[in-house]
Amino acid sequence: MEDIYAKFVSQKISKTRWRPVPPGSLQTADTFAAGSWDNEENYVSLWSIGDFGNLDSDGGFEGDHQLLCDIRHHGDVMDLQFFDQERIVAASSTGCVTVFLHHPNNQTLSVSQQWTSAHYHTGPGSPSCGSAPCTGVVCSNPEIVTVGEDGRINLFRADHKEAVRTIDNADSSTLHAVTFLRTPEILTVNSIGQLKIWDFRKQGNEPSQILSLTGDRVPLHCVDRHPNQQHVVATGGQDGMLSIWDVRQGTMPVSLLKAHEAEMWEVHFHPSNPDHLFTCSEDGSLWHWDASTDVPEKSSLFNQGGRNSTFLSHSISNQANVHQSLISSWLSTDPAKDRIEITSLLPSRTLSVNSLDVLGPCLVCGTDSEAIYVTRQLFS
């Protein structure tokens, strides 16, 4: 992979997301949104990636990501998702969910819609109007699903003032992240190591399926669904492990892969090249996992500037009965036969890498060291 460029932005970055490319368009990603946290004033901002490789005043290369516009955000930005080309949905530590609208003609952001009390604590011991952080949001136009520390799931529709559906006591613990499996079905991960599948076609507050790691109830922080195989999901949590799940089979992960030394904050399958997966961690690392089968006899060593460290994995369920050509490379990782190559993408360890996003050949990530890193040459 070619150079990855850093831009120092004077605020801790909690979330980074590429603006989606119009369907059928040949253009590559050129604009991303970022959200900040733990600053005196937090912002949602839009950035453009211009021509790369400009020499800075010290003679070093600096990423030429230009700030297009930004807007104040009340509370920490806990999650950030593009709803469409113009609208961005932000989840706040105040429990509020805001839709920001980008005006490209004068490069400004404005509030287009807001659900101020989407998440809140109720019951004994909680203040009468105690807000609860909204921890995750996922969009599938026209729907927006949010989850929070209050264990509540909301289904909103753009341009509707009230929630279309709310599952009040979906979870007795904190919900940390959410993704769509299929349009009426979502999957959540929580602070006691459970994955739960919810079907909005069903009434009631019960999940249609629960999966979990046996034994330790390690909090799960992130989840992503395989873009082509909706039954395959990846999760990461407090122990830094990467877990691959097949929601059709049993209630336990198919593979557990030893990964980061601290919390894994995000995991993303590459949207158009899903044999590649990306993770980032509190330990300051950003990893590219390559499970593509066309690489002959990969070494299962961890590549980082010539240094190697061994890579451990074990497959829990035997997949021999499934036709191999139909199976995702992530479900067939028998460490004796298949090897996954892991590459560290950041030149040196930094403070926590909180967020990443990949689109085409481009990757962006945001860190607590107040830097945003971008590369346009993931697979070169």
Side-chain angles (χ1 to χ4, degrees):
M1 194 203 75
E2 293 297 315
D3 298 321
I4 188 159
Y5 294 104
K7 180 100 171 178
F8 291 92
V9 294
S10 305
Q11 45 186 348
K12 292 182 182 177
I13 299 297
S14 56
K15 293 291 161 182
T16 52
R17 298 286 181 255
W18 289 112
R19 183 170 70 188
V21 174
S25 154
L26 295 175
Q27 69 190 74
T28 55
D30 59 6
T31 307
F32 66 86
S36 71
W37 82 290
D38 198 27
N39 306 291
E40 283 184 20
E41 291 184 351
N42 290 301
Y43 289 87
V44 169
S45 52
L46 264 185
W47 299 75
S48 167
I49 61 172
D51 295 325
F52 262 57
N54 293 347
L55 284 169
D56 65 17
S57 54
D58 302 326
F61 281 105
E62 186 184 29
D64 191 19
H65 3 318
Q66 303 291 342
L67 178 65
L68 295 176
C69 50
D70 59 11
I71 189 169
R72 281 277 307 275
H73 180 270
H74 187 46
D76 294 339
V77 177
M78 304 290 287
D79 202 1
L80 199 60
Q81 299 291 340
F82 274 91
F83 181 76
D84 55 22
Q85 294 281 305
E86 284 80 40
R87 287 176 286 183
I88 310 164
V89 184
S92 173
S93 57
T94 65
C96 176
V97 177
T98 306
V99 182
F100 293 105
L101 178 64
H102 177 223
H103 306 271
N105 50 352
N106 60 357
Q107 289 302 353
T108 56
L109 284 164
S110 66
V111 174
S112 129
Q113 199 168 359
Q114 203 162 43
W115 296 280
T116 48
S117 304
H119 293 275
Y120 54 90
H121 290 295
T122 55
S126 65
S128 54
C129 58
S131 64
C134 176
T135 52
V137 59
V138 66
C139 305
S140 178
N141 195 340
E143 297 181 328
I144 300 166
V145 176
T146 69
V147 297
E149 207 174 88
D150 52 359
R152 184 176 279 107
I153 298 172
N154 291 308
L155 172 63
F156 295 109
R157 274 210 184 95
D159 310 322
H160 279 53
K161 280 197 166 66
E162 302 298 326
V164 178
R165 173 95 188 267
T166 295
I167 304 177
D168 267 328
N169 300 308
D171 213 302
S172 54
S173 56
T174 295
L175 291 169
H176 279 147
V178 59
T179 188
F180 275 103
L181 282 182
R182 287 172 285 282
T183 302
E185 284 187 321
I186 58 162
L187 185 146
T188 60
V189 295
N190 69 13
S191 58
I192 55 171
Q194 294 174 320
L195 289 72
K196 295 183 180 181
I197 297 173
W198 308 83
D199 188 336
F200 283 127
R201 293 167 298 192
K202 294 182 178 170
Q203 294 306 308
N205 289 3
E206 294 304 315
S208 54
Q209 195 178 344
I210 300 177
L211 302 93
S212 68
L213 273 167
T214 49
D216 300 340
R217 293 189 161 193
V218 177
L220 293 172
H221 291 302
C222 54
V223 61
D224 195 30
R225 188 204 78 198
H226 192 289
N228 309 334
Q229 294 173 306
Q230 295 165 328
H231 53 277
V232 178
V233 295
T235 62
Q238 190 170 295
D239 56 3
M241 298 281 280
L242 172 65
S243 302
I244 307 292
W245 309 72
D246 181 346
V247 300
R248 304 168 307 179
Q249 297 199 2
T251 57
M252 289 168 60
V254 174
S255 303
L256 277 176
L257 306 172
K258 187 174 170 63
H260 299 279
E261 294 164 20
E263 291 92 341
M264 184 189 294
W265 291 129
E266 286 195 7
V267 56
H268 291 281
F269 287 102
H270 192 282
S272 53
N273 205 345
D275 284 350
H276 297 263
L277 181 141
F278 299 83
T279 58
C280 63
S281 169
E282 177 72 28
D283 67 12
S285 60
L286 170 68
W287 285 3
H288 171 189
W289 304 66
D290 180 359
S292 54
T293 49
D294 55 355
V295 182
E297 275 310 299
K298 280 190 185 149
S299 89
S300 67
L301 295 171
F302 171 58
N303 307 314
Q304 186 179 28
R307 288 205 310 275
N308 292 325
S309 67
T310 53
F311 163 58
L312 310 173
S313 134
H314 65 92
S315 190
I316 292 179
S317 63
N318 178 19
Q319 299 286 329
N321 57 342
V322 184
H323 192 266
Q324 280 301 310
S325 65
L326 296 176
I327 201 166
S328 159
S329 54
W330 295 103
L331 296 185
S332 59
T333 44
D334 175 351
K337 287 190 282 234
D338 294 297
R339 303 295 171 91
I340 297 177
E341 193 172 275
I342 310 171
T343 309
S344 175
L345 297 184
L346 292 183
S348 58
R349 285 288 176 96
T350 163
L351 295 175
S352 177
V353 181
N354 298 320
S355 182
L356 74 100
D357 199 21
V358 279
L359 186 61
C362 302
L363 176 144
V364 59
C365 76
T367 68
D368 272 356
S369 49
E370 303 191 342
I372 297 173
Y373 292 86
V374 172
T375 181
R376 281 174 147 174
Q377 296 165 313
L378 266 185
F379 299 115
S380 59

